[in-house]
Amino acid sequence: MLSTGLRNVSRSVASSSLRASAAASSRQVHSSTPACSDPITTNQAVGTPDFSKVRAPATRAAEESRRAFSYFVLGAFGVTVASAAKQTVAGILDTLNPSADVLAMANVEFDLSSVELGKTSTIKWRGKPVFVRHRTADEIALAVADDGAADLRDVETDAERAYLDPKYLVVLGICTHLGCVPLSGKGDYKGWFCPCHGSHYDLSGRIRKGPAPLNLELPPYKYVEEGSSTILIGERE
């Protein structure tokens, strides 16, 4: 019995020692292992690095440099396009301008003394007929007397019509109605008569009867030089 009791006591002591030793070991392990921190707290404490203060000036400078380069490229492109357009338009205008020989034909010289008294000569100017009438003194007096006629549709004095020399009347030979060529020395007023629709012009080329709305047109002309009987049709002093 005694031996049995001793064995039981011995087991109890051994078991207690084992439990004490295990508890000590457990405490040592726990004390050596670092405590786990809260992930949320850690992330909040560390956070994402803020490099805006370091990178922002360089980024802004780069953006401004790129913007300035873009403006430069656009400006250079615009200048190039404008220059090319100017050259193209200039080339087109040059092709449209009349040549030197055409310009020479635009003005026609004519000697008034070549027209007989009381006669009409017809010349061509810019593809249009031009009547040159050498009027008699009676024809001039009759034209001047009609300056105040009531039936003048397009009112002009004879002096305004024959503005260089009253002896010579220079008018375009085209009816102002529909562009027919009137007949010289015909009609009710002995000036010109249009056979197409019956327009009558007097010795000053003024419309007096018929559908034509205006007087015969006066081309620009001037003396080639002072004292000369040659006129230049196409220019006026």
Side-chain angles (χ1 to χ4, degrees), residues 151-166:
D151 60 351
L152 289 178
R153 189 172 301 165
D154 185 13
V155 179
E156 284 182 304
T157 65
D158 184 69
E160 292 173 327
R161 305 282 297 169
Y163 56 86
L164 280 188
D165 188 338

Side-chain angles (χ1 to χ4, degrees), residues 121-196:
S121 292
T122 303
I123 60 177
K124 190 175 182 180
W125 172 68
R126 296 182 182 177
K128 303 174 184 179
V130 175
F131 296 150
V132 180
R133 176 77 177 182
H134 188 176
R135 301 187 299 179
T136 65
D138 291 340
E139 289 174 342
I140 296 172
L142 183 60
V144 172
D146 286 342
D147 283 348
D151 60 351
L152 289 178
R153 189 172 301 165
D154 185 13
V155 179
E156 284 182 304
T157 65
D158 184 69
E160 292 173 327
R161 305 282 297 169
Y163 56 86
L164 280 188
D165 188 338
K167 292 184 299 184
Y168 297 99
L169 179 70
V170 182
V171 295
L172 287 182
I174 299 175
C175 179
T176 57
H177 178 222
L178 293 177
C180 297
V181 178
L183 303 175
S184 298
K186 304 296 182 180
D188 295 347
Y189 299 90
K190 306 303 179 181
W192 289 269
F193 171 73
C194 181
C196 295

Side-chain angles (χ1 to χ4, degrees), residues 5-221:
L6 289 173
R7 284 195 300 271
N8 288 336
V9 171
S10 178
R11 290 194 188 97
S12 296
V13 171
S15 177
S16 297
S17 298
L18 288 175
R19 283 196 297 274
S21 176
S25 298
S26 177
R27 284 194 299 271
Q28 183 177 1
V29 169
H30 282 291
S31 61
S32 62
T33 302
C36 295
S37 60
D38 187 357
I40 297 178
T41 304
T42 302
N43 289 338
Q44 290 177 347
V46 176
T48 302
D50 184 8
F51 297 102
S52 60
K53 294 182 179 179
V54 178
R55 294 181 178 178
T59 303
R60 285 197 297 269
E63 289 179 355
E64 291 176 359
S65 177
R66 287 194 297 269
R67 188 180 298 111
F69 179 75
S70 299
Y71 290 158
F72 173 77
V73 171
L74 291 175
F77 178 74
V79 171
T80 302
V81 171
S83 178
K86 179 181 178 181
Q87 294 297 328
T88 302
V89 172
I92 294 175
L93 292 179
D94 286 340
T95 60
L96 296 178
N97 288 332
S99 58
D101 56 342
V102 173
L103 290 175
M105 294 177 59
N107 297 333
V108 176
E109 291 186 1
F110 181 76
D111 188 0
L112 296 175
S113 63
S114 65
V115 185
E116 296 182 11
L117 184 63
K119 300 296 183 179
T120 300
S121 292
T122 303
I123 60 177
K124 190 175 182 180
W125 172 68
R126 296 182 182 177
K128 303 174 184 179
V130 175
F131 296 150
V132 180
R133 176 77 177 182
H134 188 176
R135 301 187 299 179
T136 65
D138 291 340
E139 289 174 342
I140 296 172
L142 183 60
V144 172
D146 286 342
D147 283 348
D151 60 351
L152 289 178
R153 189 172 301 165
D154 185 13
V155 179
E156 284 182 304
T157 65
D158 184 69
E160 292 173 327
R161 305 282 297 169
Y163 56 86
L164 280 188
D165 188 338
K167 292 184 299 184
Y168 297 99
L169 179 70
V170 182
V171 295
L172 287 182
I174 299 175
C175 179
T176 57
H177 178 222
L178 293 177
C180 297
V181 178
L183 303 175
S184 298
K186 304 296 182 180
D188 295 347
Y189 299 90
K190 306 303 179 181
W192 289 269
F193 171 73
C194 181
C196 295
H197 301 94
S199 295
H200 297 256
Y201 300 89
D202 63 14
L203 290 166
S204 192
R206 296 172 294 200
I207 182 65
R208 303 295 293 274
K209 183 191 294 185
L214 301 172
N215 302 331
L216 293 178
E217 185 179 350
L218 300 176
Y221 64 96

